[in-house]
Amino acid sequence: MTKQPVSVNGVVRWKDVGLADDVTAETHETKVGVLRQEIGEVLRSVRQRQGRTLREVSHSARVSLGYLSEVERGQKEASSELLASICTALDIPMSQMLREVADRLAYAEGNFIPDTVPSEMTEEFTREVRQLRGGTAAGAH
């Protein structure tokens, strides 16, 4: 491993090059694997909580049983279209599935700060959205 000067915002720092680059690439691959695995675990968890079989969900989602199994085991990277189809078959919004995946990843990364909105703000936002959809939003021009 050698050191090389690197300028960051006008400040020159010495960066290790060589082995460190290989470690960085390896870490990136691990993170990608974690995402695929977390998506699979969340999908499997939802399916099992519903008491449904892989066969039922694969039929509903119009995806092969083997492929759905590989997605659940984190062996295949599912496309957004496939995830949408699986979520529809499981009768859950994709946003809910992705939120759970994001929460799991944040926890795995050591981010323990809760990413929540106070209930008062949620209720206020929900009222505003309902008003907008009903066309009765106050202050609408």
Side-chain angles (χ1 to χ4, degrees), residues 1-4 14-24:
M1 186 173 340
T2 61
K3 294 201 179 269
Q4 179 178 13
W14 290 93
K15 177 185 173 198
D16 292 329
V17 293
L19 183 59
D21 290 338
D22 297 338
V23 172
T24 303

Short mmCIF file of all heavy atoms in Angstrom, two decimals, residues 1-4 14-24:
data_model
loop_
_atom_site.label_atom_id
_atom_site.label_comp_id
_atom_site.label_asym_id
_atom_site.label_seq_id
_atom_site.Cartn_x
_atom_site.Cartn_y
_atom_site.Cartn_z
N MET A 1 0.84 -1.16 0.00
CA MET A 1 0.00 0.00 0.00
C MET A 1 0.90 1.24 0.00
O MET A 1 1.88 1.30 0.71
CB MET A 1 -0.90 -0.01 1.25
CG MET A 1 -1.88 1.09 1.22
SD MET A 1 -3.15 1.09 2.51
CE MET A 1 -3.25 -0.52 3.14
N THR A 2 0.50 2.23 -0.82
CA THR A 2 1.26 3.48 -0.89
C THR A 2 0.34 4.66 -0.59
O THR A 2 -0.88 4.52 -0.59
CB THR A 2 1.87 3.66 -2.30
OG1 THR A 2 0.81 3.74 -3.24
CG2 THR A 2 2.81 2.53 -2.65
N LYS A 3 0.96 5.81 -0.36
CA LYS A 3 0.18 7.02 -0.09
C LYS A 3 0.30 7.95 -1.28
O LYS A 3 1.33 8.03 -1.92
CB LYS A 3 0.68 7.70 1.18
CG LYS A 3 0.42 6.87 2.42
CD LYS A 3 0.43 7.76 3.65
CE LYS A 3 0.15 6.96 4.88
NZ LYS A 3 -1.25 6.91 5.20
N GLN A 4 -0.80 8.66 -1.56
CA GLN A 4 -0.84 9.57 -2.69
C GLN A 4 -1.52 10.86 -2.24
O GLN A 4 -2.52 10.81 -1.52
CB GLN A 4 -1.63 8.91 -3.81
CG GLN A 4 -1.78 9.73 -5.05
CD GLN A 4 -2.55 8.96 -6.12
OE1 GLN A 4 -3.16 7.94 -5.85
NE2 GLN A 4 -2.53 9.47 -7.32
N TRP A 14 -3.20 13.02 2.43
CA TRP A 14 -2.57 11.81 1.90
C TRP A 14 -3.56 10.67 1.99
O TRP A 14 -4.13 10.40 3.03
CB TRP A 14 -1.29 11.50 2.67
CG TRP A 14 -0.22 12.50 2.37
CD1 TRP A 14 0.04 13.64 3.06
CD2 TRP A 14 0.68 12.47 1.28
NE1 TRP A 14 1.06 14.34 2.46
CE2 TRP A 14 1.48 13.64 1.37
CE3 TRP A 14 0.91 11.59 0.23
CZ2 TRP A 14 2.48 13.93 0.45
CZ3 TRP A 14 1.91 11.88 -0.67
CH2 TRP A 14 2.68 13.05 -0.57
N LYS A 15 -3.76 10.00 0.86
CA LYS A 15 -4.70 8.88 0.80
C LYS A 15 -3.93 7.60 0.52
O LYS A 15 -3.04 7.57 -0.32
CB LYS A 15 -5.71 9.13 -0.32
CG LYS A 15 -6.69 8.00 -0.51
CD LYS A 15 -7.59 8.25 -1.71
CE LYS A 15 -8.43 7.01 -1.96
NZ LYS A 15 -8.98 6.99 -3.28
N ASP A 16 -4.31 6.54 1.25
CA ASP A 16 -3.73 5.22 0.98
C ASP A 16 -4.32 4.69 -0.32
O ASP A 16 -5.53 4.75 -0.53
CB ASP A 16 -4.04 4.24 2.12
CG ASP A 16 -3.33 4.62 3.40
OD1 ASP A 16 -2.23 5.18 3.31
OD2 ASP A 16 -3.88 4.37 4.49
N VAL A 17 -3.49 4.18 -1.19
CA VAL A 17 -3.97 3.57 -2.43
C VAL A 17 -3.42 2.15 -2.52
O VAL A 17 -2.43 1.82 -1.89
CB VAL A 17 -3.52 4.38 -3.69
CG1 VAL A 17 -4.21 5.72 -3.72
CG2 VAL A 17 -2.03 4.53 -3.76
N GLY A 18 -4.10 1.33 -3.28
CA GLY A 18 -3.67 -0.06 -3.40
C GLY A 18 -4.70 -0.96 -2.76
O GLY A 18 -5.81 -1.06 -3.22
N LEU A 19 -4.36 -1.56 -1.64
CA LEU A 19 -5.22 -2.49 -0.94
C LEU A 19 -6.52 -1.83 -0.51
O LEU A 19 -7.58 -2.43 -0.58
CB LEU A 19 -4.48 -3.07 0.28
CG LEU A 19 -5.23 -4.13 1.08
CD1 LEU A 19 -5.60 -5.30 0.19
CD2 LEU A 19 -4.40 -4.59 2.25
N ALA A 20 -6.46 -0.59 -0.08
CA ALA A 20 -7.66 0.10 0.40
C ALA A 20 -8.73 0.18 -0.68
O ALA A 20 -9.91 0.08 -0.40
CB ALA A 20 -7.31 1.50 0.90
N ASP A 21 -8.34 0.36 -1.95
CA ASP A 21 -9.31 0.42 -3.03
C ASP A 21 -10.04 -0.91 -3.18
O ASP A 21 -11.24 -0.95 -3.42
CB ASP A 21 -8.64 0.79 -4.35
CG ASP A 21 -8.15 2.24 -4.37
OD1 ASP A 21 -8.69 3.04 -3.57
OD2 ASP A 21 -7.24 2.55 -5.17
N ASP A 22 -9.31 -2.01 -3.00
CA ASP A 22 -9.93 -3.33 -3.08
C ASP A 22 -10.93 -3.52 -1.95
O ASP A 22 -12.00 -4.07 -2.14
CB ASP A 22 -8.87 -4.44 -3.02
CG ASP A 22 -7.93 -4.39 -4.22
OD1 ASP A 22 -8.33 -3.82 -5.26
OD2 ASP A 22 -6.80 -4.90 -4.10
N VAL A 23 -10.59 -3.05 -0.76
CA VAL A 23 -11.48 -3.17 0.40
C VAL A 23 -12.73 -2.35 0.17
O VAL A 23 -13.84 -2.78 0.46
CB VAL A 23 -10.76 -2.73 1.70
CG1 VAL A 23 -11.73 -2.68 2.86
CG2 VAL A 23 -9.61 -3.68 2.00
N THR A 24 -12.59 -1.13 -0.39
CA THR A 24 -13.74 -0.28 -0.68
C THR A 24 -14.68 -0.98 -1.66
O THR A 24 -15.88 -0.99 -1.47
CB THR A 24 -13.28 1.08 -1.26
OG1 THR A 24 -12.41 1.69 -0.32
CG2 THR A 24 -14.47 1.98 -1.52
#
